[in-house]
Amino acid sequence: MNMIELNVTGTLLEITDEDKSTSGSVNYDRCEFTFDSEWDGFTKTAVFSCGGCDSYRADITDGACRIPPACTEKEGILSIGVFGVDDNGTVIATNSVAHRIDEGTDSGEWIAEDESLVRNAIRDFEDYADRFAERLENRINTFIANVTNENDVSLRADAGKNIFPNEDYEAPEFTGAAALPSVSNGSEYDDFFAYKLDDLVENHPEYVTRRVIGTDASGEYPIYLYSFEPESYDKTLLITSTVHGSERIAFFALCSFLEDLCTRADSDPQLNYIRSKIKLAVVPVVNPYGLMHQRTVNSANVNIGCNFPFNWSACPNSSKGAEAADQAETGSIISLLDELDSDRLCAAIDIHTNVINAAGCTVFYPRFSRGCVCELADMINRFISENGEGANRDMAVLMSSVNPTLTNYAADAYGISACELVWNNSVYGGTSSDENIGMFTEFIGRAVYTMAKECRRSRREPPAPFAKYYSWSSSQGDTYTVAASAEAQKMAVSAYSLSPNFPCLIRADGSVTLHVTSECTVTVAPLLYQVMSPELDEADIADSGRFAHRLTLGAGTHVIPVSSIIQAHYACWNSSSDSYCAEDVRFTLAFNASAANTVSVEAFSVLLYIQPSDCARPVEMSVPMGAAAYYSGDDIPIQTLAYPLGTYTITDGNFND
C-alpha cells in the first residue's frame, strides 16, 4: 500500500516522505499524520482535491486515512490539507501541500478519452428517459380521456392521431426528384420559381409575397425576395440559398420546407410556431447566374461566399473579388439586411450542399459569436440519432468559421445569431434522390425552428467576467533553474488550465522575478493557448514568438513583466483531425538561457482575466507596416491585422473552393 507521511505542527502541514502514486488505483493510497500537542482534543479531517476541482473529505482515525478514489482517477496534482474542530467549536486549519499522481495503466473498462463521453451519454439518456416517461403518461391520459366510456374502446375521430408525436419537425415523404427543373433539361430561370414558390404566392396571398431586391452582376437575372409574414410576429429570420450556384439541391429542399410550412402548419406544432410568430425573409437564389450556368461563382467569376465585408482582406480565396462587397449580389443582400434590421431581424441562415468532410451534415457558426450554438448542437445530435443508419449518417460537424461569408458578416454587423447549413448529398442517397431531398428538407426545418425559437432581437447577456490570480515563490530550497536549450522549456509549476464553455477573451498579465549569476541572454515566453485549437494551440503560439521577451541581463535580480491574450472558442472539430476537439485553455511560462546554471526563477505572479464575449471580433492585434524610420512627426502608421483573425482552417478554405 502506498503511503504519504505528513507532519502537522500547528497550522503548518509538511510532507516528510511519500511513495509514488498512479491514477486508477482505488483504496491503495493512504496518508499518515503526526500531530503536535496543539491538535489534542480536535476531531481531525483531511481534505483532498485533484487538479483544483471538487474537494473530498476523509476522517482521520488513529492518525491515518485513505485517499478518496475520486482523487486518484486521473493523473495530476493532488492537494492535501487538514482541519480540526473541538467541542467548543474552535477550528484549526493547515496550509495545503501537493502530491503528484502519475498516469497509471488503464483498467480496460473504457479508454480515458471515452470516459466522459460515456458518462455524458448515460446522463443524457437518463434525462431523456425521464422526459419521455412524463410525455408518455400525459399521452396515455389523453388517450383514455378520449374513450367514449369505460366499456367502449372505440375512439373519437381524432383520438388516435399523434398520441406519441415526435418533438421535432418531421418532413413528409418527398417524391418527384426526377422531375425537378434542370438547366440541363432546358429549364429557364423562372421555371425554378414556378416549381413551388410562385404557387405559394398565388395560393397564400395573405401570407406569402414576392418582390425583386436587385439584379445580379450579369444584369440578366433578378434576385427575388419571398416574404412569409404572419399577421403579427415577434422575430424576423433571413434565409438564403444558392450563394454557390451549383448547389441547386439546397434550393429544392428549401422550397420543399416552405411548401410544408404553408400547407401543414395546422398539424405540426413546430411549423405552427413559425407560421404564427416568425417572419421569414427568404432569398432562395442569391447567385442566379451561377444557378443557370451550374457553377459556384457569378458572372464576374467571384465567389459570393467570400465577398462580404467581414475579414475579407485576410481571405486567401482567389475568387473573393477585387474588393469586399464589390458584387451586385452581395450589395443586394447587405441592403436587405439593412432593411430587415429595423424589422426585428434576429437570425440569418444560409443553406449549402458540399462534400467538405465525410459527415452527413455540417453547421458553421461565426467564430466569435455564441449565437444559438448549444441549441443547434442539441438539434444535430437528435437528428443524427434518429437517422444514423448508413455510412456516415451518424456523423455531424459543428464548427466555427472566419470566412467573409454572409452569415459571419450578418452576425458581426447586426449582432444576430447566424449559421450555415452544409448538406452532404452523397451520404443520403445521392444528389437527385427523393430520400436525399426529403432528409435535407427535414434538417432545414429543424434548424429554422431552432433558430426561430432560440434567437433574440437583443444579444443575450453573457456570463459575468471573472479573474484567476495565482503566484509562486522559491522557498525552503524549492528553486527552478532555467535550462540552456534551443527552445524555451515550460516551467511546469507555472501551468494553469481553464475549461471555457462559451466564447471568451482571456488576458494574462503578471511578472517573473529572475536571479542571474552572470551576464547571459534569457527568453521569457508566456504561453497562453487552447489545446487542439486549429490556430491557437501550443505549437502555434510558441512558434509565433508573440508576447515573448528575449533579453540580455547582467548579474543581479530582475523583474520581467509578462502579458498575453487569446480569444478562446469551442467547436467539435478542429479542422485537422476528426479525432480531436478544441479543449482547455492553458497558461504556462517557458524559459531558456544562453548559458546553463546562470538563471533561476525566484517568483512569478499571474492574473488571468476572463471576459465572456458574444461579439464577432473582440480581439484585433495589429503591427505597423514598414520600418520605424519610415515614419516621423505626427505620422499614423498603417496597421496590419496579425492576430487572431486571418488564419484559415483547412475546411474554411475547402468550403468555398
Side-chain angles (χ1 to χ4, degrees):
M1 178 168 289
N2 277 348
M3 191 68 67
I4 305 172
E5 297 180 6
L6 306 102
N7 185 66
V8 186
T9 305
T11 59
L12 177 63
L13 176 65
E14 298 175 291
I15 295 178
T16 57
D17 193 16
E18 55 187 329
D19 293 330
K20 182 177 180 180
S21 298
T22 54
S23 62
S25 300
V26 178
N27 294 329
Y28 185 69
D29 297 272
R30 290 170 52 87
C31 291
E32 285 193 352
F33 300 88
T34 301
F35 293 92
D36 70 356
S37 59
E38 288 190 38
W39 286 80
D40 294 346
F42 282 82
T43 300
K44 307 171 187 68
T45 304
V47 181
F48 301 91
S49 175
C50 192
C53 298
D54 295 338
S55 296
Y56 299 87
R57 297 182 179 183
D59 293 335
I60 300 175
T61 304
D62 296 329
C65 69
R66 281 194 173 95
I67 297 176
C71 295
T72 56
E73 284 184 350
K74 298 179 180 179
E75 65 172 319
I77 301 299
L78 176 66
S79 173
I80 307 172
V82 179
F83 73 91
V85 182
D86 68 5
D87 294 337
N88 298 319
T90 302
V91 178
I92 183 172
T94 71
N95 59 292
S96 295
V97 294
H99 173 71
R100 174 76 187 178
I101 306 291
D102 291 329
E103 183 177 6
T105 302
D106 194 292
S107 64
E109 187 172 357
W110 53 59
I111 63 173
E113 289 81 1
D114 287 342
E115 180 176 348
S116 62
L117 297 177
V118 173
R119 290 181 174 177
N120 289 337
I122 293 172
R123 185 184 67 248
D124 292 344
F125 178 78
E126 291 172 345
D127 292 343
Y128 175 80
D130 292 339
R131 295 196 306 272
F132 181 79
E134 182 179 353
R135 295 203 313 274
L136 181 63
E137 182 179 3
N138 292 337
R139 294 297 170 182
I140 291 175
N141 291 337
T142 301
F143 184 92
I144 294 173
N146 283 319
V147 176
T148 55
N149 60 63
E150 61 182 6
N151 297 317
D152 183 1
V153 296
S154 64
L155 303 178
R156 298 173 186 167
D158 62 347
K161 296 180 180 179
N162 295 326
I163 295 175
F164 307 111
N166 191 305
E167 286 186 341
D168 289 308
Y169 164 69
E170 292 185 347
E173 182 179 358
F174 185 89
T175 58
L180 295 174
S182 170
V183 174
S184 302
N185 295 331
S187 297
E188 300 293 334
Y189 183 57
D190 286 342
D191 293 336
F192 286 88
F193 302 98
Y195 165 65
K196 285 186 185 293
L197 294 177
D198 288 347
D199 287 344
L200 298 181
V201 174
E202 181 178 351
N203 297 330
H204 306 274
E206 79 293 345
Y207 179 53
V208 188
T209 58
R210 186 184 88 166
R211 65 182 174 93
V212 176
I213 60 169
T215 304
D216 78 331
S218 72
E220 184 178 356
Y221 302 104
I223 300 173
Y224 293 117
L225 168 69
Y226 288 80
S227 296
F228 296 74
E229 184 174 333
E231 291 184 5
S232 62
Y233 52 92
D234 302 325
K235 310 170 187 176
T236 296
L237 271 67
L238 173 64
I239 303 177
T240 55
S241 72
T242 330
V243 168
H244 298 147
S246 57
E247 298 170 359
R248 66 189 187 99
I249 297 303
F251 169 83
F252 294 127
L254 174 59
C255 291
S256 179
F257 163 71
L258 295 172
E259 180 185 48
D260 209 22
L261 176 65
C262 291
T263 58
R264 286 205 315 120
D266 291 340
S267 59
D268 185 287
Q270 293 197 354
L271 293 177
N272 183 268
Y273 174 82
I274 298 170
R275 175 72 183 263
S276 61
K277 296 181 179 295
I278 307 297
K279 176 181 176 179
L280 301 182
V282 181
V283 183
V285 181
V286 175
N287 181 5
Y289 188 91
L291 173 68
M292 296 308 296
H293 292 80
Q294 304 178 69
R295 56 191 233 161
T296 297
V297 296
N298 70 354
S299 61
N301 293 319
V302 172
N303 186 335
I304 303 302
C306 290
N307 191 239
F308 284 85
F310 170 84
N311 198 27
W312 179 88
S313 61
C315 178
N317 193 299
S318 60
S319 301
K320 66 181 181 179
E323 295 180 3
D326 64 350
Q327 298 302 299
E329 298 88 346
T330 311
S332 295
I333 296 300
I334 292 175
S335 296
L336 177 60
L337 283 165
D338 287 340
E339 175 187 327
L340 297 176
D341 189 38
S342 60
D343 191 22
R344 304 176 186 177
L345 178 67
C346 292
I349 303 173
D350 191 24
I351 305 171
H352 294 261
T353 61
N354 209 318
V355 182
I356 57 176
N357 51 60
C361 50
T362 298
V363 175
F364 288 95
Y365 67 92
R367 171 67 51 86
F368 304 121
S369 177
R370 182 234 184 263
C372 300
V373 176
C374 296
E375 293 79 8
L376 286 169
D378 291 340
M379 181 276 293
I380 294 169
N381 284 332
R382 293 194 303 272
F383 181 83
I384 64 174
S385 68
E386 296 171 17
N387 304 288
E389 295 183 7
N392 298 330
R393 293 192 179 195
D394 60 345
M395 296 175 61
V397 169
L398 174 67
M399 66 178 298
S400 57
S401 168
V402 293
N403 266 324
T405 61
L406 187 161
T407 49
N408 284 347
Y409 167 75
D412 182 35
Y414 302 94
I416 62 174
S417 301
C419 70
E420 288 180 343
L421 311 180
V422 186
W423 186 258
N424 188 340
N425 291 318
S426 63
V427 172
Y428 293 95
T431 300
S432 296
S433 69
D434 289 341
E435 180 191 20
N436 181 53
I437 298 176
M439 293 296 294
F440 196 7
T441 299
E442 186 165 294
F443 187 67
I444 291 172
R446 294 189 182 190
V448 170
Y449 174 78
T450 299
M451 295 289 279
K453 190 75 173 176
E454 300 299 333
C455 68
R456 297 292 184 271
R457 173 59 186 167
S458 59
R459 297 179 184 176
R460 294 176 177 175
E461 288 297 323
F466 60 99
K468 299 282 188 179
Y469 178 84
Y470 69 108
S471 61
W472 171 90
S473 63
S474 60
S475 61
Q476 299 177 3
D478 182 16
T479 60
Y480 179 82
T481 301
V482 176
S485 57
E487 298 180 352
Q489 303 297 307
K490 292 191 293 185
M491 181 182 181
V493 74
S494 69
Y496 198 91
S497 180
L498 295 166
S499 299
N501 59 359
F502 46 83
C504 58
L505 175 67
I506 302 177
R507 189 176 77 240
D509 293 301
S511 63
V512 176
T513 303
L514 302 178
H515 180 69
V516 181
T517 58
S518 60
E519 182 176 307
C520 66
T521 300
V522 183
T523 298
V524 181
L527 301 181
L528 182 61
Y529 60 95
Q530 185 166 27
V531 178
M532 297 312 305
S533 167
E535 300 131 2
L536 304 175
D537 64 10
E538 181 182 350
D540 288 327
I541 298 299
D543 292 345
S544 72
R546 295 190 186 100
F547 311 109
H549 299 292
R550 186 168 178 81
L551 307 167
T552 299
L553 303 177
T557 300
H558 306 268
V559 178
I560 311 299
V562 293
S563 66
S564 185
I565 192 168
I566 190 174
Q567 173 68 31
H569 62 92
Y570 55 104
C572 74
W573 197 42
N574 77 346
S575 307
S576 59
S577 171
D578 284 324
S579 304
Y580 299 104
C581 303
E583 296 172 347
D584 293 351
V585 173
R586 295 180 183 174
F587 176 84
T588 188
L589 294 167
F591 304 87
N592 68 0
S594 58
N597 300 316
T598 58
V599 181
S600 61
V601 180
E602 291 194 339
F604 68 78
S605 60
V606 178
L607 175 66
L608 293 176
Y609 182 77
I610 298 91
Q611 171 68 58
S613 171
D614 201 23
C615 62
R617 290 189 288 187
V619 179
E620 290 189 5
M621 177 177 171
S622 61
V623 295
M625 295 179 62
Y630 293 173
Y631 302 99
S632 62
D634 296 328
D635 289 346
I636 304 298
I638 299 172
Q639 301 290 328
T640 300
L641 189 65
Y643 167 86
L645 303 178
T647 304
Y648 277 76
T649 64
I650 296 170
T651 298
D652 268 343
N654 290 347
F655 173 54
N656 274 315
D657 282 344

